[in-house]
Amino acid sequence: MKIMVAVKRVVDYAVRIRVKPDKSGVETQNVKMSMNPFCEIALEEALKIKEAGLAKEVVAVTMGPANCVDTLRTGLAMGADRGIHVEAARELVPLTVAKVLKRLVEVENPGLLILGKQAIDDDCNQTGQMIAGLLGWPQGTFASKVVLDKEKQVATVDREVDGGLETICLDLPAVITTDLRLNQPRYATLPNIMKAKSKPIKKYTSEELNVEIKSDLEIVQVTEPPKRKAGVILSSVDELIDKLKNEAHVI
Ligand code: AMP
């Protein structure tokens, strides 16, 4: 079985986000970019499945500008066998990503497609559900445990839902999206970073895949959240009650 993993290049989670002066979006120039953390977890899960002898190949795919290849190389250094880069000059919305993925699935024929539950830049949490819908495949979203049965061609997925865990069985091929507690992604070792340089990356244009890169969304404005006012330390409970009564007017 082949596993396809969608990995997205995003602003590193540790970077303090700055809004562009013209408020058209978030500043990405001269900012550290990394693989989306949930995509690292998706790739780690695919590698573990392969190491357990349940899959033969792990293919990492990304969509976006030329520098997204860095993210693919990170994926290859973690252990993916090969990469696919679909070049696009601009940011893609989840529905377009899902349509591109659908075409790649038709070309590659994987038995399992693993995505992050969300990208930490747009926080959409849509792509996995959309691609499952487009393909008509079962989906196990917010996975915190995945067990594959190769014989029965079934994946058992524990999902993190409000107030607990839900366990579902999916017939393969299926789509899984990963939650934080699924695993601890590995670091790429130096020898593997060197090896990754010679692993193949296939490039496609959206025209070659016959998908129109478009968006029905228009970003009107991006603004920073209002700054929090500094707190005050009060000397007594009486003072607190007085402020709640006479300043905040909440009691
Ligand atoms: P989102 O729906 O935007 O929150 O993204 C959810 C997941 O979809 C991500 O964790 C990735 O696995 C995948 N994804 C979204 N955008 C891209 C992209 N441009 N390239 C590759 N994978 C993507």
Side-chain angles (χ1 to χ4, degrees), residues 6-8 36 39 62-63 97 115-116 118-119 122 124-127:
V7 294
K8 186 176 187 188
N36 179 44
C39 300
T62 197
M63 286 136 250
V97 176
L115 301 90
Q118 76 194 65
D122 57 21
C124 278
N125 181 355
Q126 294 169 0
T127 312

Side-chain angles (χ1 to χ4, degrees), residues 142-146 157-160 165 177 179 181-183:
F142 313 120
S144 62
K145 186 174 171 195
V146 174
V157 176
D158 283 358
R159 305 183 58 232
E160 301 212 356
L165 287 180
T177 75
D179 216 321
R181 278 165 283 271
L182 180 59
N183 61 46

Side-chain angles (χ1 to χ4, degrees), residues 38-113:
F38 292 105
C39 300
E40 287 182 351
I41 296 172
L43 185 53
E44 175 65 33
E45 197 61 21
L47 296 172
K48 279 182 154 175
I49 293 171
K50 185 185 161 195
E51 284 161 0
L54 299 168
K56 284 220 164 64
E57 194 184 28
V58 174
V59 185
V61 306
T62 197
M63 286 136 250
N67 44 20
C68 290
V69 168
D70 300 349
T71 307
L72 274 186
R73 288 277 169 223
T74 306
L76 297 174
M78 281 173 73
D81 298 289
R82 59 190 173 90
I84 297 178
H85 177 208
V86 181
E87 282 208 76
R90 54 179 232 208
E91 272 289 310
L92 306 183
V93 293
L95 184 57
T96 310
V97 176
K99 285 179 180 170
V100 171
L101 277 175
K102 179 170 184 277
R103 288 291 299 123
L104 292 176
V105 164
E106 284 160 5
V107 174
E108 292 284 337
N109 225 356
L112 193 58
L113 175 60

